[in-house]
Amino acid sequence: MNLLPRELPTGRWGEQFDVDVVDGLLEAAMTANDCVQAFAAAHHAEFASNQQIHDAELVGERTGSAGVRAASASERYSAITDYADALLRLWARQALHLARIAAAVAHTLHTGDARIGADNLRLADVAAVSTLYVTPHLLAAPPFPADNPSLDAPTAASLAAAHQRVSAALRVAGEHNTPPHVFDADLPDIKESITALGLLDLAEALHDYGAHALWLVATHTVAR
């Protein structure tokens, strides 16, 4: 799992953009980074709480006096799991937002527009994750073909691979017969943690795709 913030491009880039486009891209990238860090902390706490349940049960087997401790650890684990699931949903949603707008800017660059403004990018539109399952075209395919001379081979390959991971992650929920809306809010008939249902893979893949697309935009505009 890559539960670390993604590196952001620095320096002078995007000079042909309206300033609110650059601000919107960086704000989306920093928000996704904030979300992955918050989820990582909750995920580690979830793992530690699960270990505490195991430890309490072992003590109880030996002494017969760890029932309260085990019950408390189980309750804490349930609460932390709910919290981690909520943060995972948030991370996936913000990673999707980053991926959408970074890819949109990259596509606009590919069309050769001389000046890129925010009006047609809908930078404030944060879509629900379930919409990606219903309308996969919401997230565009890699905006530049691998043989495009404006891209070096590693950049093209990493972007294409990131997009393939998004597609693979989308298939996981289908294999589990998971209702897509479970990734937007709790459903009473879904008892399994959404981490195990494929949302963690999707959040990682979306974040990676968005970060690669952002770097593509940055390096492409600097090169020009």
Side-chain angles (χ1 to χ4, degrees), residues 18-19 35 45 58 91 99 108 125 160 162-163 174 184 199 202-203 206 208 210 224:
D18 289 346
V19 65
C35 289
L58 289 178
W91 175 28
T108 306
D125 180 18
H163 191 269
D184 300 329
L199 187 59
L202 180 61
L206 287 170
D208 285 341
R224 293 180 61 177

Side-chain angles (χ1 to χ4, degrees), residues 124-197:
D125 180 18
V126 181
V129 175
S130 62
T131 61
L132 187 56
Y133 289 86
V134 179
T135 54
H137 63 274
L138 184 69
L139 187 65
F144 289 88
D147 60 352
N148 189 295
S150 67
L151 278 182
D152 60 282
T155 302
S158 63
L159 186 67
H163 191 269
Q164 289 174 358
R165 288 195 298 272
V166 172
S167 299
L170 288 173
R171 289 194 294 269
V172 170
E175 293 169 358
H176 282 272
N177 295 316
T178 305
H181 293 291
V182 75
F183 295 147
D184 300 329
D186 288 320
L187 294 181
D189 56 338
I190 300 294
K191 304 302 181 185
E192 188 175 4
S193 170
I194 57 174
T195 300
L197 296 177

Side-chain angles (χ1 to χ4, degrees), residues 2 4-10 29 33 98 207-208 210-212 214-215:
N2 184 8
L4 297 173
R6 274 51 170 184
E7 184 181 1
L8 302 183
T10 57
N33 278 347
L98 170 63
H207 201 162
D208 285 341
H212 279 99
L214 180 60
W215 272 97

